[in-house]
Amino acid sequence: MSGRLAVVGLGPGSPEQMTPQARHAVAAATDLFGYGPYLDRIALLPHQTRHASDNREEISRAGAALAMATEGRHVAVVSGGDAGVFAMAAAVCEAIEHGPAEWRAVDLEVVPGVTAMLAVAARVGAPLGHDFCAMSLSDNLKPWDLIEARLRAVSAAGFVIALYNPISRARPWQLGRAFEILREHLPAATPVISGRAAGRPDERIAIASLGEADATVADMATCVIIGSAETRVVAREGLAPLVYSPRSAGRIST
Amino acid sequence: MSGRLAVVGLGPGSPEQMTPQARHAVAAATDLFGYGPYLDRIALLPHQTRHASDNREEISRAGAALAMATEGRHVAVVSGGDAGVFAMAAAVCEAIEHGPAEWRAVDLEVVPGVTAMLAVAARVGAPLGHDFCAMSLSDNLKPWDLIEARLRAVSAAGFVIALYNPISRARPWQLGRAFEILREHLPAATPVISGRAAGRPDERIAIASLGEADATVADMATCVIIGSAETRVVAREGLAPLVYSPRSAGRIST
């Protein structure tokens, strides 16, 4: 008997930014899997069982959830933000590809959500208003050389860059090194936005220039957005400045 | 007197994918501005006035909305998807930067939403599961040469690519040309996903290989996602294949 598996993006944290589709998918589950702090956002119903795991156990969590779905349970695997952006949907697909044949028969639904960069961008204006990219800065799953090459490629080509997983206790120097690389390709005045817990009571948003950006303000849950050479900062009296990337572009640095 | 201006991302189309924050921001407005088809999604309340305009009048729409906000009205400007991704938030910021001083005093709120690439990706698995970029393929506001250079830079560097505004009646050849360029850098088997109206009753999602991708299946409202060389397609008996980009990466084409 094949059950159902929903991989659900809970949004950046505020219930105001969780879609009804995500709320319904969570409510319909008998079993909820995820990283503990994401599961903590959900008030369990009486018929629901919670399966919390550490945030680096993505593949084993995906396998456990798939195994339970094949037993006929209705399983939800939750992620913060969007389910498919540096989150659990890719781990579930990977587990399906390499797992037992019956996992391919599971009724799989991926429920999208507002990913962190969109919530952070909204708090300062529209820094993602033109071509942009999203990169994980974690070198747990890819070589650091590749990350450096990608940072150089996209900054030279004029993309705004959103960095996920910018720093952790085990990876303390990577964000500082990323700023160094980007300073080779972008003006010192390029705006850098660090956003954490956007839309939540403990929200922390900071705007700096690339020349003065300090990697120590970020943690694992921070999304860091680095503008392009065309990104603008608009001062406002008595209000936070606006940061936006114009809809038109004309230059490319080489 | 300064009023309020909310720039609201309505999500990809289904009410199930619109956040409560967006719903509340729309309900609180006295005046709603936007491209007609987006405004059509909203059932007006008795006290609300609708101001529809064409989709290429972004700056004049932003200015009209800001002028009305400075008169003390509560204005909402709506976008499909996210408000800040190739949408109205950047146009509003641009109007503020270049407009009369009182526009800077407007109480501006940007309300994020589920942008098209996330909704399309969710329907096929997790193609955005690793580093990716989002580009507008419209050469109305940037030179075509710059678009080609960006396509080459990100495909060579191993990013998955989400293309917005891929084609229109006035821009019939650009998507086909983009596929030609990408074929120079990516294997013919690279998956290409075309998604339109994701999550709506008229949804249309197609998966092809880059070698056989046909630009004529897309229109202005389609989001086209081109995998990286590492993006996988997982066949499933009796079900649509899954497409995902693994969380780990190790190669870079040069």
Side-chain angles (χ1 to χ4, degrees):
Chain A
M1 174 181 182
S2 264
R4 297 195 319 215
L5 177 60
V7 191
V8 183
L10 299 179
S14 162
E16 281 283 292
Q17 295 183 337
M18 186 190 306
T19 67
Q21 186 186 18
R23 195 160 41 80
H24 298 149
V26 164
T30 56
D31 294 84
L32 292 153
F33 286 77
Y35 175 44
Y38 299 144
L39 287 173
D40 290 344
R41 294 192 200 163
I42 297 165
L44 285 198
L45 300 168
H47 70 282
Q48 295 183 315
T49 306
R50 172 189 160 112
H51 307 266
S53 45
D54 190 73
N55 67 347
R56 285 190 293 186
E57 297 173 1
E58 293 188 335
I59 280 291
S60 58
R61 178 190 306 143
L66 283 159
M68 193 163 278
T70 59
E71 290 164 15
R73 311 277 295 175
H74 291 182
V75 179
V77 178
V78 302
S79 286
D82 180 73
V85 174
F86 309 118
M88 283 302 297
V92 168
C93 291
E94 194 176 321
I96 290 172
E97 182 175 19
H98 302 294
E102 69 258 33
W103 288 3
R104 297 194 186 211
V106 167
D107 179 4
L108 177 69
E109 181 186 28
V110 178
V111 178
V114 175
T115 183
M117 65 180 166
L118 303 182
V120 170
R123 297 297 286 148
V124 301
L128 305 178
H130 200 61
D131 299 342
F132 65 93
C133 67
M135 283 182 63
S136 169
L137 211 62
S138 168
D139 53 356
N140 291 334
L141 292 167
K142 64 187 163 190
W144 179 254
D145 284 355
L146 179 61
I147 296 173
E148 288 206 3
R150 288 183 177 174
L151 288 170
R152 291 179 199 283
V154 288
S155 58
F159 286 82
V160 173
I161 301 169
L163 296 177
Y164 284 70
N165 309 322
I167 204 163
S168 75
R169 254 171 293 186
R171 296 183 291 102
W173 55 264
Q174 283 81 345
L175 180 60
R177 178 73 187 125
F179 286 154
E180 285 176 17
I181 292 164
L182 295 172
R183 286 184 191 117
E184 297 169 18
H185 297 275
L186 292 167
T190 304
V192 174
I193 303 126
S194 308
R196 197 188 179 290
R200 302 209 298 262
D202 56 333
E203 170 181 289
R204 218 166 54 210
I205 308 274
I207 302 171
S209 67
L210 180 58
E212 296 181 347
D214 173 10
T216 64
V217 303
D219 67 9
M220 195 63 192
T222 304
C223 182
V224 179
I225 299 174
I226 299 107
S228 73
E230 312 211 14
T231 302
R232 308 279 307 159
V233 179
V234 184
R236 297 186 300 171
E237 204 177 311
L239 293 170
L242 289 176
V243 184
Y244 80 98
S245 299
R247 303 162 308 134
S248 58
R251 294 175 281 156
I252 182 163
S253 72
T254 46
Chain B
M1 174 180 184
S2 263
R4 298 196 318 218
L5 177 60
V7 191
V8 183
L10 299 178
S14 162
E16 281 283 291
Q17 295 183 337
M18 187 191 303
T19 67
Q21 186 186 19
R23 195 161 40 79
H24 297 151
V26 164
T30 56
D31 293 84
L32 292 154
F33 286 77
Y35 175 45
Y38 297 144
L39 287 173
D40 290 345
R41 294 193 202 160
I42 298 164
L44 285 198
L45 299 168
H47 70 281
Q48 295 183 314
T49 307
R50 172 188 161 112
H51 308 266
S53 45
D54 190 73
N55 68 347
R56 286 191 293 187
E57 297 174 2
E58 294 186 336
I59 280 291
S60 58
R61 178 191 306 142
L66 283 159
M68 193 164 279
T70 59
E71 290 165 14
R73 311 278 295 175
H74 292 182
V75 178
V77 177
V78 301
S79 286
D82 180 73
V85 174
F86 309 118
M88 282 303 296
V92 168
C93 291
E94 193 176 320
I96 290 172
E97 182 176 17
H98 301 293
E102 68 257 34
W103 287 3
R104 296 194 185 210
V106 167
D107 179 5
L108 177 69
E109 181 186 27
V110 178
V111 178
V114 174
T115 182
M117 65 181 165
L118 303 181
V120 169
R123 297 298 285 149
V124 300
L128 305 178
H130 199 62
D131 301 341
F132 65 92
C133 67
M135 284 182 61
S136 169
L137 210 62
S138 169
D139 54 356
N140 291 336
L141 292 167
K142 62 187 163 190
W144 179 254
D145 283 355
L146 178 62
I147 295 173
E148 288 206 2
R150 289 184 176 174
L151 288 169
R152 292 180 199 283
V154 288
S155 58
F159 287 81
V160 174
I161 303 169
L163 297 176
Y164 283 71
N165 309 322
I167 203 162
S168 74
R169 251 172 296 187
R171 296 182 292 103
W173 55 264
Q174 283 81 343
L175 180 60
R177 177 73 186 124
F179 286 153
E180 286 176 17
I181 292 165
L182 295 172
R183 286 184 191 116
E184 297 170 18
H185 297 273
L186 292 168
T190 305
V192 174
I193 302 126
S194 308
R196 195 187 181 292
R200 302 208 298 262
D202 56 333
E203 170 180 287
R204 218 167 53 208
I205 309 275
I207 302 172
S209 67
L210 180 58
E212 296 181 346
D214 173 9
T216 64
V217 303
D219 66 9
M220 194 66 192
T222 304
C223 181
V224 179
I225 299 175
I226 299 108
S228 73
E230 313 210 14
T231 302
R232 309 278 308 157
V233 179
V234 183
R236 297 186 299 172
E237 205 177 310
L239 294 169
L242 289 176
V243 184
Y244 80 98
S245 300
R247 302 161 310 131
S248 58
R251 293 175 281 155
I252 182 163
S253 73
T254 46

